[in-house]
Amino acid sequence: MPPQITGFFQRFGSGLKGFTTGQRTVAVIGAALLVVGIIALSAWLSKPTMTPLFSGLKDTDANGIVEQLRKDNVPYELSDGGSTILVPEAKVYDERLKAAAAGLPTAAATGYSLLDKMGVTSSEFQQSITYKRALEGELASTITAMDGVKTAAVRLAIPEKTVFVSKTPDTTASVFVETAPGTTLSGDKVQAIVHLTSAAIENLKPANVSVVDSQGNVLSSVGGGAAGSATKQASDYQQRTSDAVKAVMDRVVGPGNSTVAVAADVTGESAQQKSETFSNAEGALPLSESSKSEKYTGTGGGAAGVLGPDNIAVPGGTSGNGSFDSSTATKNNAVNKVTEDRVIPPGAVKRQTISVAVNQSAAGGLNLGSLTSLVTAAAGIDTARGDVVTVEVVPFSTAAADQAAASLEAAKAEAEAKKQAAFFGTLITAGSILLGLLILALVIALVLRRRQKREPVDLGERLDLDLLPVMPAVSAIAAPPMTSAIPMTALPPLQPSPSQLEDEMHRLEIDSMVANNPEKVADYLRGLMDDRQPV
């Protein structure tokens, strides 16, 4: 291991030894939080992106595809109640090909694909039935593609063309619609389904299309249109009229100071009416005109008498001159003719009554006649039809308003409490993360702070054995008195011991290393000084 890394770990270990028990605990908690954060981040980054493999599956098809995924050891997730299967994005196309090879999903053939399986030996009956099924399948697929529609089924009643009847019955259709959870089809969408179905089938009128939802509600009836039953039509009319009157009253007496009730009697049956109207075309020339005149003069015989009992004319016994004058004129004028065929749908208003109650505290200075006129105009009241409007000023009860205000305050306080709890939870989470970062920064700061300030070390000058002074030889050793002197030339010269030579060699090696790499030696000495500092 390089000496720099070794020195770092030595300094780090010496720094940890200098920590107290509390500091060590805080350091361990910070390190654990850092490790957990790194693991969580790595797990989140390494999680594959899930993409829908198939959606709108039946239970049997979903079971078969899941078994295929388990066999291939492919992770998967189920959503939409098990009808949608999610797999990693990198495995989508591969698993789709494998599912197709296994014949999954096993959806029945619908639409015009049924015509591909018809042989040349098919009878006319089989061809007509298959063609009708193809039309039904195509319409069902198109309606299912609409927003809010989960599944759809179409049944067509197409009468057979024959020469033995003078008039062929009308074509009718029934549409069954299952909506997505929490979705309700609006009147516009129901009308769109009706017109889509009628326009796709020959001689199919929109009035002959029936639409029913999965709850058994009739959204459009044959002959009644998309308006629904008479009860629903009356409810819709009452709601529209109530909204119109309520909008006027809110602007006059203020919101919440008026109550509007509408009761309408609507027709529940439909009818067909045919009428012809003739009128004279003024200023138009006659189509044809003819005139005839006759005139005769002359004498005649005796005038014939009256008839007798035997039917024999009895002579009158008179005679004289006679004349005849006659003229006739014929004129054929142009006549306007209007033929009108009307279909009267159900839902026509026969009579309605409107009751309006105004809060007494807000009705000060108001004219009831003016309010009645406003309500009459806003609701389209027809007095000839027997409509009735009643406007009264009465004191309103405030118990419901007080209870609603209390409930609103309680809901507001609960929402505020949830908001504060969420805020504090976020604050605690952010504080924990910040505390972990601060603890980590504190540990690093303490480690760096405990290091002493480095100063350059004076290692002295290099020593050399050649420059060392030679120890002088002892010339003589003092002899004890009373003895004779010993000459210095007889004693051997003084030599250093082996240990002294070894120490001198080590010192020379150190000097050589200092001279060759002084920076490395300085770092090493600083590390020794840090290790020797008191705890």
Side-chain angles (χ1 to χ4, degrees), residues 168-218:
T168 305
D170 294 335
T171 303
T172 59
S174 299
V175 181
F176 172 80
V177 177
E178 182 181 0
T179 59
T183 304
T184 303
L185 292 181
S186 61
D188 295 338
K189 290 187 177 181
V190 174
Q191 196 71 21
I193 293 175
V194 170
H195 286 286
L196 175 67
T197 306
S198 63
I201 306 301
E202 183 182 2
N203 297 328
L204 178 59
K205 300 178 181 179
N208 292 332
V209 178
S210 175
V211 181
V212 182
D213 64 1
S214 58
Q215 303 298 326
N217 301 320
V218 179

CSV table of all heavy atoms in Angstrom, one decimal, residues 168-218:
chain,number,residue,atom,x,y,z
A,168,THR,N,-90.5,-2.7,-46.1
A,168,THR,CA,-89.6,-3.4,-45.2
A,168,THR,C,-89.5,-2.8,-43.9
A,168,THR,O,-89.4,-1.5,-43.8
A,168,THR,CB,-88.2,-3.5,-45.9
A,168,THR,OG1,-88.3,-4.0,-47.2
A,168,THR,CG2,-87.2,-4.2,-45.1
A,169,PRO,N,-89.5,-3.5,-42.8
A,169,PRO,CA,-89.3,-2.9,-41.5
A,169,PRO,C,-88.0,-2.1,-41.3
A,169,PRO,O,-87.0,-2.4,-42.0
A,169,PRO,CB,-89.4,-4.1,-40.5
A,169,PRO,CG,-90.1,-5.1,-41.3
A,169,PRO,CD,-89.7,-5.0,-42.7
A,170,ASP,N,-88.0,-1.2,-40.4
A,170,ASP,CA,-86.8,-0.4,-40.2
A,170,ASP,C,-85.7,-1.2,-39.5
A,170,ASP,O,-86.0,-2.1,-38.7
A,170,ASP,CB,-87.1,0.9,-39.4
A,170,ASP,CG,-88.0,1.8,-40.1
A,170,ASP,OD1,-88.0,1.8,-41.4
A,170,ASP,OD2,-88.7,2.6,-39.5
A,171,THR,N,-84.4,-0.9,-39.8
A,171,THR,CA,-83.3,-1.5,-39.1
A,171,THR,C,-83.1,-0.9,-37.7
A,171,THR,O,-83.2,0.3,-37.5
A,171,THR,CB,-82.0,-1.4,-39.9
A,171,THR,OG1,-82.2,-1.9,-41.2
A,171,THR,CG2,-80.8,-2.0,-39.2
A,172,THR,N,-82.9,-1.7,-36.7
A,172,THR,CA,-82.7,-1.3,-35.3
A,172,THR,C,-81.4,-1.8,-34.8
A,172,THR,O,-80.8,-2.8,-35.3
A,172,THR,CB,-83.9,-1.7,-34.4
A,172,THR,OG1,-83.9,-3.2,-34.4
A,172,THR,CG2,-85.2,-1.1,-34.9
A,173,ALA,N,-80.9,-1.1,-33.8
A,173,ALA,CA,-79.6,-1.5,-33.2
A,173,ALA,C,-79.7,-1.3,-31.6
A,173,ALA,O,-80.3,-0.4,-31.2
A,173,ALA,CB,-78.5,-0.7,-33.7
A,174,SER,N,-79.0,-2.2,-30.9
A,174,SER,CA,-78.9,-2.1,-29.5
A,174,SER,C,-77.4,-2.1,-29.1
A,174,SER,O,-76.6,-2.9,-29.6
A,174,SER,CB,-79.5,-3.3,-28.8
A,174,SER,OG,-80.9,-3.4,-29.1
A,175,VAL,N,-77.0,-1.1,-28.3
A,175,VAL,CA,-75.6,-0.9,-27.9
A,175,VAL,C,-75.5,-1.1,-26.4
A,175,VAL,O,-76.2,-0.4,-25.6
A,175,VAL,CB,-75.1,0.5,-28.3
A,175,VAL,CG1,-73.6,0.6,-27.9
A,175,VAL,CG2,-75.3,0.7,-29.8
A,176,PHE,N,-74.7,-2.0,-25.9
A,176,PHE,CA,-74.4,-2.2,-24.5
A,176,PHE,C,-73.0,-1.6,-24.2
A,176,PHE,O,-72.0,-1.9,-24.9
A,176,PHE,CB,-74.4,-3.7,-24.1
A,176,PHE,CG,-73.9,-3.9,-22.7
A,176,PHE,CD1,-74.8,-3.8,-21.7
A,176,PHE,CD2,-72.6,-4.4,-22.5
A,176,PHE,CE1,-74.4,-4.0,-20.4
A,176,PHE,CE2,-72.2,-4.6,-21.2
A,176,PHE,CZ,-73.1,-4.4,-20.2
A,177,VAL,N,-73.0,-0.7,-23.2
A,177,VAL,CA,-71.7,0.0,-22.9
A,177,VAL,C,-71.4,-0.2,-21.4
A,177,VAL,O,-72.3,0.0,-20.5
A,177,VAL,CB,-71.9,1.5,-23.2
A,177,VAL,CG1,-70.6,2.3,-22.7
A,177,VAL,CG2,-72.2,1.8,-24.6
A,178,GLU,N,-70.2,-0.6,-21.1
A,178,GLU,CA,-69.7,-0.7,-19.8
A,178,GLU,C,-68.6,0.4,-19.6
A,178,GLU,O,-67.6,0.4,-20.3
A,178,GLU,CB,-69.0,-2.0,-19.5
A,178,GLU,CG,-68.5,-2.2,-18.1
A,178,GLU,CD,-67.9,-3.5,-17.8
A,178,GLU,OE1,-67.8,-4.4,-18.7
A,178,GLU,OE2,-67.4,-3.8,-16.7
A,179,THR,N,-68.9,1.3,-18.7
A,179,THR,CA,-68.0,2.5,-18.5
A,179,THR,C,-66.9,2.1,-17.5
A,179,THR,O,-67.0,1.1,-16.7
A,179,THR,CB,-68.8,3.7,-18.0
A,179,THR,OG1,-69.4,3.3,-16.7
A,179,THR,CG2,-69.8,4.1,-19.0
A,180,ALA,N,-65.8,2.9,-17.5
A,180,ALA,CA,-64.7,2.7,-16.6
A,180,ALA,C,-65.2,3.1,-15.2
A,180,ALA,O,-66.1,3.9,-15.0
A,180,ALA,CB,-63.5,3.6,-17.0
A,181,PRO,N,-64.5,2.6,-14.2
A,181,PRO,CA,-65.0,2.9,-12.8
A,181,PRO,C,-64.9,4.4,-12.5
A,181,PRO,O,-63.9,5.0,-12.8
A,181,PRO,CB,-63.9,2.1,-11.9
A,181,PRO,CG,-63.5,1.0,-12.8
A,181,PRO,CD,-63.5,1.5,-14.2
A,182,GLY,N,-66.0,4.9,-11.9
A,182,GLY,CA,-66.1,6.3,-11.6
A,182,GLY,C,-66.3,7.2,-12.8
A,182,GLY,O,-66.2,8.4,-12.7
A,183,THR,N,-66.8,6.7,-13.9
A,183,THR,CA,-67.0,7.5,-15.1
A,183,THR,C,-68.5,7.3,-15.5
A,183,THR,O,-69.1,6.2,-15.4
A,183,THR,CB,-66.2,7.0,-16.3
A,183,THR,OG1,-64.8,7.1,-15.9
A,183,THR,CG2,-66.4,7.9,-17.5
A,184,THR,N,-69.1,8.4,-15.9
A,184,THR,CA,-70.5,8.5,-16.3
A,184,THR,C,-70.5,9.1,-17.7
A,184,THR,O,-70.0,10.2,-17.9
A,184,THR,CB,-71.4,9.3,-15.3
A,184,THR,OG1,-71.3,8.7,-14.0
A,184,THR,CG2,-72.8,9.2,-15.8
A,185,LEU,N,-71.2,8.5,-18.6
A,185,LEU,CA,-71.3,9.0,-20.0
A,185,LEU,C,-72.3,10.2,-20.0
A,185,LEU,O,-73.4,10.1,-19.5
A,185,LEU,CB,-71.8,7.9,-20.9
A,185,LEU,CG,-70.9,6.8,-21.2
A,185,LEU,CD1,-71.5,5.8,-22.2
A,185,LEU,CD2,-69.6,7.3,-21.8
A,186,SER,N,-71.8,11.3,-20.6
A,186,SER,CA,-72.6,12.5,-20.7
A,186,SER,C,-73.6,12.3,-21.9
A,186,SER,O,-73.5,11.4,-22.7
A,186,SER,CB,-71.7,13.7,-20.9
A,186,SER,OG,-71.0,13.6,-22.1
A,187,GLY,N,-74.6,13.3,-21.9
A,187,GLY,CA,-75.5,13.2,-23.0
A,187,GLY,C,-74.9,13.4,-24.4
A,187,GLY,O,-75.3,12.8,-25.4
A,188,ASP,N,-73.8,14.2,-24.5
A,188,ASP,CA,-73.1,14.4,-25.7
A,188,ASP,C,-72.5,13.1,-26.2
A,188,ASP,O,-72.5,12.7,-27.4
A,188,ASP,CB,-72.1,15.5,-25.6
A,188,ASP,CG,-72.7,16.8,-25.3
A,188,ASP,OD1,-73.9,17.0,-25.7
A,188,ASP,OD2,-72.0,17.7,-24.8
A,189,LYS,N,-71.9,12.3,-25.3
A,189,LYS,CA,-71.2,11.0,-25.7
A,189,LYS,C,-72.2,10.0,-26.1
A,189,LYS,O,-72.0,9.2,-27.0
A,189,LYS,CB,-70.3,10.5,-24.5
A,189,LYS,CG,-69.1,11.4,-24.3
A,189,LYS,CD,-68.2,10.7,-23.3
A,189,LYS,CE,-66.9,11.5,-23.1
A,189,LYS,NZ,-66.0,10.9,-22.1
A,190,VAL,N,-73.4,10.0,-25.4
A,190,VAL,CA,-74.5,9.1,-25.8
A,190,VAL,C,-75.0,9.4,-27.2
A,190,VAL,O,-75.2,8.5,-28.0
A,190,VAL,CB,-75.6,9.1,-24.7
A,190,VAL,CG1,-76.8,8.2,-25.2
A,190,VAL,CG2,-75.1,8.6,-23.4
A,191,GLN,N,-75.1,10.7,-27.4
A,191,GLN,CA,-75.6,11.1,-28.8
A,191,GLN,C,-74.5,10.8,-29.8
A,191,GLN,O,-74.9,10.4,-30.9
A,191,GLN,CB,-75.8,12.6,-28.8
A,191,GLN,CG,-76.6,13.1,-29.9
A,191,GLN,CD,-78.1,12.7,-29.9
A,191,GLN,OE1,-78.6,12.4,-28.8
A,191,GLN,NE2,-78.7,12.7,-31.0
A,192,ALA,N,-73.2,10.9,-29.4
A,192,ALA,CA,-72.2,10.5,-30.4
A,192,ALA,C,-72.2,9.0,-30.7
A,192,ALA,O,-72.1,8.6,-31.9
A,192,ALA,CB,-70.8,10.8,-29.8
A,193,ILE,N,-72.5,8.1,-29.7
A,193,ILE,CA,-72.6,6.7,-29.9
A,193,ILE,C,-73.8,6.4,-30.8
A,193,ILE,O,-73.7,5.6,-31.7
A,193,ILE,CB,-72.7,6.0,-28.6
A,193,ILE,CG1,-71.4,6.1,-27.8
A,193,ILE,CG2,-73.1,4.5,-28.8
A,193,ILE,CD1,-71.5,5.5,-26.4
A,194,VAL,N,-74.9,7.1,-30.6
A,194,VAL,CA,-76.1,6.9,-31.4
A,194,VAL,C,-75.8,7.2,-32.9
A,194,VAL,O,-76.1,6.5,-33.8
A,194,VAL,CB,-77.3,7.7,-30.9
A,194,VAL,CG1,-78.5,7.7,-31.8
A,194,VAL,CG2,-77.7,7.1,-29.5
A,195,HIS,N,-75.3,8.4,-33.1
A,195,HIS,CA,-75.0,8.8,-34.5
A,195,HIS,C,-73.9,8.0,-35.2
A,195,HIS,O,-74.0,7.7,-36.4
A,195,HIS,CB,-74.6,10.3,-34.5
A,195,HIS,CG,-75.8,11.2,-34.3
A,195,HIS,ND1,-76.8,11.4,-35.2
A,195,HIS,CD2,-76.2,11.9,-33.2
A,195,HIS,CE1,-77.7,12.3,-34.8
A,195,HIS,NE2,-77.4,12.6,-33.5
A,196,LEU,N,-72.9,7.6,-34.4
A,196,LEU,CA,-71.9,6.7,-34.9
A,196,LEU,C,-72.5,5.4,-35.4
A,196,LEU,O,-72.1,4.9,-36.5
A,196,LEU,CB,-70.8,6.5,-33.9
A,196,LEU,CG,-69.7,5.5,-34.3
A,196,LEU,CD1,-68.8,6.0,-35.4
A,196,LEU,CD2,-68.8,5.2,-33.0
A,197,THR,N,-73.4,4.8,-34.6
A,197,THR,CA,-74.0,3.5,-35.0
A,197,THR,C,-74.9,3.7,-36.2
A,197,THR,O,-74.9,2.9,-37.1
A,197,THR,CB,-74.7,2.9,-33.8
A,197,THR,OG1,-73.8,2.9,-32.7
A,197,THR,CG2,-75.2,1.6,-34.1
A,198,SER,N,-75.7,4.7,-36.2
A,198,SER,CA,-76.7,4.9,-37.2
A,198,SER,C,-76.0,5.2,-38.6
A,198,SER,O,-76.5,4.8,-39.6
A,198,SER,CB,-77.7,6.0,-36.9
A,198,SER,OG,-77.0,7.2,-36.7
A,199,ALA,N,-74.9,6.0,-38.5
A,199,ALA,CA,-74.3,6.3,-39.8
A,199,ALA,C,-73.5,5.2,-40.4
A,199,ALA,O,-73.2,5.2,-41.6
A,199,ALA,CB,-73.3,7.5,-39.5
A,200,ALA,N,-73.2,4.1,-39.6
A,200,ALA,CA,-72.4,3.0,-40.1
A,200,ALA,C,-73.3,1.9,-40.7
A,200,ALA,O,-72.8,1.1,-41.5
A,200,ALA,CB,-71.6,2.4,-39.0
A,201,ILE,N,-74.6,1.9,-40.5
A,201,ILE,CA,-75.5,0.9,-41.0
A,201,ILE,C,-76.5,1.5,-42.0
A,201,ILE,O,-77.0,2.6,-41.7
A,201,ILE,CB,-76.2,0.2,-39.8
A,201,ILE,CG1,-75.2,-0.3,-38.8
A,201,ILE,CG2,-77.1,-0.9,-40.3
A,201,ILE,CD1,-74.2,-1.3,-39.3
A,202,GLU,N,-76.7,0.8,-43.0
A,202,GLU,CA,-77.6,1.3,-44.1
A,202,GLU,C,-79.0,1.3,-43.5
A,202,GLU,O,-79.5,0.4,-42.9
A,202,GLU,CB,-77.5,0.5,-45.3
A,202,GLU,CG,-78.3,0.9,-46.5
A,202,GLU,CD,-78.2,0.0,-47.7
A,202,GLU,OE1,-77.5,-1.0,-47.6
A,202,GLU,OE2,-78.9,0.3,-48.7
A,203,ASN,N,-79.8,2.4,-43.8
A,203,ASN,CA,-81.2,2.6,-43.5
A,203,ASN,C,-81.4,2.5,-42.0
A,203,ASN,O,-82.5,2.1,-41.5
A,203,ASN,CB,-82.0,1.5,-44.2
A,203,ASN,CG,-82.0,1.7,-45.7
A,203,ASN,OD1,-81.9,2.8,-46.2
A,203,ASN,ND2,-82.1,0.6,-46.4
A,204,LEU,N,-80.4,2.9,-41.2
A,204,LEU,CA,-80.6,2.9,-39.7
A,204,LEU,C,-80.8,4.3,-39.2
A,204,LEU,O,-79.8,5.1,-39.4
A,204,LEU,CB,-79.4,2.2,-39.0
A,204,LEU,CG,-79.5,2.2,-37.5
A,204,LEU,CD1,-80.7,1.5,-36.9
A,204,LEU,CD2,-78.2,1.5,-36.9
A,205,LYS,N,-81.9,4.6,-38.7
A,205,LYS,CA,-82.2,6.0,-38.2
A,205,LYS,C,-81.7,6.2,-36.8
A,205,LYS,O,-81.6,5.2,-36.0
A,205,LYS,CB,-83.7,6.3,-38.2
A,205,LYS,CG,-84.3,6.2,-39.6
A,205,LYS,CD,-85.7,6.4,-39.6
A,205,LYS,CE,-86.4,6.3,-41.0
A,205,LYS,NZ,-87.8,6.5,-41.0
A,206,PRO,N,-81.2,7.4,-36.4
A,206,PRO,CA,-80.8,7.6,-35.0
A,206,PRO,C,-81.9,7.3,-34.0
A,206,PRO,O,-81.5,6.9,-32.8
A,206,PRO,CB,-80.4,9.0,-35.0
A,206,PRO,CG,-80.1,9.4,-36.4
A,206,PRO,CD,-81.0,8.5,-37.2
A,207,ALA,N,-83.1,7.4,-34.4
A,207,ALA,CA,-84.2,7.2,-33.4
A,207,ALA,C,-84.4,5.7,-33.1
A,207,ALA,O,-85.1,5.3,-32.2
A,207,ALA,CB,-85.5,7.8,-33.9
A,208,ASN,N,-83.8,4.8,-34.0
A,208,ASN,CA,-83.9,3.4,-33.8
A,208,ASN,C,-82.7,2.7,-33.1
A,208,ASN,O,-82.5,1.5,-33.3
A,208,ASN,CB,-84.1,2.7,-35.2
A,208,ASN,CG,-85.5,3.1,-35.8
A,208,ASN,OD1,-86.4,3.4,-35.0
A,208,ASN,ND2,-85.6,3.1,-37.1
A,209,VAL,N,-81.9,3.5,-32.4
A,209,VAL,CA,-80.7,3.0,-31.7
A,209,VAL,C,-81.0,3.1,-30.2
A,209,VAL,O,-81.3,4.2,-29.7
A,209,VAL,CB,-79.4,3.8,-32.1
A,209,VAL,CG1,-78.2,3.3,-31.4
A,209,VAL,CG2,-79.2,3.7,-33.6
A,210,SER,N,-80.8,2.0,-29.5
A,210,SER,CA,-80.9,2.0,-28.1
A,210,SER,C,-79.6,1.8,-27.4
A,210,SER,O,-78.8,0.9,-27.9
A,210,SER,CB,-81.9,0.9,-27.7
A,210,SER,OG,-82.0,0.7,-26.3
A,211,VAL,N,-79.3,2.6,-26.4
A,211,VAL,CA,-78.0,2.5,-25.7
A,211,VAL,C,-78.4,2.2,-24.2
A,211,VAL,O,-79.2,2.9,-23.6
A,211,VAL,CB,-77.2,3.8,-25.8
A,211,VAL,CG1,-75.9,3.7,-25.1
A,211,VAL,CG2,-77.0,4.1,-27.3
A,212,VAL,N,-77.7,1.2,-23.7
A,212,VAL,CA,-77.9,0.7,-22.3
A,212,VAL,C,-76.6,0.6,-21.6
A,212,VAL,O,-75.6,0.1,-22.3
A,212,VAL,CB,-78.7,-0.6,-22.2
A,212,VAL,CG1,-79.0,-1.0,-20.7
A,212,VAL,CG2,-80.1,-0.4,-22.9
A,213,ASP,N,-76.4,1.0,-20.4
A,213,ASP,CA,-75.1,0.9,-19.7
A,213,ASP,C,-75.2,-0.4,-18.8
A,213,ASP,O,-76.2,-1.1,-18.8
A,213,ASP,CB,-74.8,2.1,-18.8
A,213,ASP,CG,-75.8,2.3,-17.7
A,213,ASP,OD1,-76.8,1.5,-17.6
A,213,ASP,OD2,-75.7,3.3,-17.0
A,214,SER,N,-74.0,-0.6,-18.1
A,214,SER,CA,-73.9,-1.9,-17.4
A,214,SER,C,-74.7,-1.9,-16.1
A,214,SER,O,-75.0,-2.9,-15.5
A,214,SER,CB,-72.4,-2.1,-17.0
A,214,SER,OG,-71.9,-1.0,-16.2
A,215,GLN,N,-75.3,-0.7,-15.7
A,215,GLN,CA,-76.1,-0.6,-14.5
A,215,GLN,C,-77.6,-0.8,-14.9
A,215,GLN,O,-78.4,-0.7,-14.0
A,215,GLN,CB,-75.9,0.7,-13.8
A,215,GLN,CG,-74.5,1.0,-13.4
A,215,GLN,CD,-74.0,0.0,-12.4
A,215,GLN,OE1,-74.7,-0.5,-11.5
A,215,GLN,NE2,-72.7,-0.3,-12.4
A,216,GLY,N,-77.9,-1.0,-16.1
A,216,GLY,CA,-79.2,-1.2,-16.6
A,216,GLY,C,-80.0,0.1,-16.9
A,216,GLY,O,-81.2,0.1,-17.1
A,217,ASN,N,-79.3,1.2,-16.9
A,217,ASN,CA,-79.9,2.5,-17.2
A,217,ASN,C,-80.0,2.7,-18.7
A,217,ASN,O,-79.1,2.4,-19.5
A,217,ASN,CB,-79.1,3.6,-16.6
A,217,ASN,CG,-78.9,3.5,-15.1
A,217,ASN,OD1,-79.9,3.2,-14.4
A,217,ASN,ND2,-77.7,3.8,-14.6
A,218,VAL,N,-81.2,3.1,-19.2
A,218,VAL,CA,-81.4,3.3,-20.6
A,218,VAL,C,-81.0,4.7,-20.9
A,218,VAL,O,-81.5,5.7,-20.5
A,218,VAL,CB,-82.9,3.2,-20.9
A,218,VAL,CG1,-83.2,3.5,-22.4
A,218,VAL,CG2,-83.4,1.8,-20.5
